[in-house]
Amino acid sequence: MVKVGVKAPDFRLQNQDDNYVSLKEFAGKWVVLYFYPKDNTSGCTKEACDFTESFKDFEKLDAAVLGVSPDSTLSHRNFIDKQNLRITLLSDPDKKVLKAYGAWGIKKNYGKEYEGVIRSTYIISPEKKVSEIWSNVKVRTKRKNGEVRHVEIVKETLKELQKK
């Protein structure tokens, strides 16, 4: 299981354009790595659109945003085209990276247990250390004073980490 302060597991996965992407390529740069269950589902669409909406903010923070799911590269291309996404989506059909990061496991829904993607987000430092982890992410949380978006929490945490 990945923990804050440890070296982030490296990976080499295909993106939506069938090009291989590895963590090593982002040496010296911050990485926001998020795991999500399925392209074109409501929560996953909100999350991807929220990250796309904040794309320029993450660029200004010198951070790459990478989304990972077990979906195919073709599914990712369709998702990106349909939603006008600007983020990179990586395909992990064998679930090796999902498992390495602890984003694959037992879930419960309506009393039934099954294996699946545990919606998770990791901030990885330029030195490739895990700096922050969110597990069982709620994309948007309703509060008395309005809705809180996970992407805003990630952005604010990244800014704080960069001050250290």
Side-chain angles (χ1 to χ4, degrees), residues 67-131:
V68 181
S69 86
D71 291 319
S72 69
T73 57
L74 175 60
S75 177
H76 286 343
R77 275 195 299 282
N78 293 337
F79 187 32
I80 286 170
D81 290 345
K82 184 176 180 181
Q83 302 299 334
N84 291 319
L85 303 177
R86 294 190 61 198
I87 57 177
T88 298
L89 299 179
L90 303 176
S91 178
D92 186 17
D94 298 332
K95 302 167 192 78
K96 287 180 183 167
V97 177
L98 283 153
K99 289 175 182 174
Y101 277 85
W104 182 263
I106 300 294
K107 296 174 69 170
K108 287 183 182 180
N109 194 16
Y110 299 110
K112 293 192 177 190
E113 285 190 356
Y114 62 97
E115 278 193 314
V117 176
I118 300 164
R119 191 183 305 274
S120 309
T121 305
Y122 299 77
I123 294 178
I124 301 169
S125 74
E127 297 78 33
K128 300 300 156 246
K129 298 253 190 214
V130 176
S131 298

Side-chain angles (χ1 to χ4, degrees), residues 7-62:
K7 188 168 171 35
D10 197 15
F11 55 80
R12 186 172 182 267
L13 297 172
Q14 284 184 296
N15 69 8
Q16 66 275 359
D17 300 319
D18 295 317
N19 296 320
Y20 282 96
V21 174
S22 71
L23 187 59
K24 290 175 190 166
E25 292 173 37
F26 299 95
K29 193 172 178 126
W30 291 88
V31 175
V32 174
L33 183 66
Y34 80 96
F35 296 93
Y36 68 99
K38 190 144 184 60
D39 293 340
N40 287 305
T41 54
S42 64
C44 298
T45 298
K46 284 178 188 169
E47 187 173 31
C49 289
D50 287 352
F51 274 115
T52 292
E53 196 176 286
S54 294
F55 185 78
K56 285 188 176 172
D57 295 334
F58 284 106
E59 271 189 332
K60 287 177 191 168
L61 294 167
D62 198 30

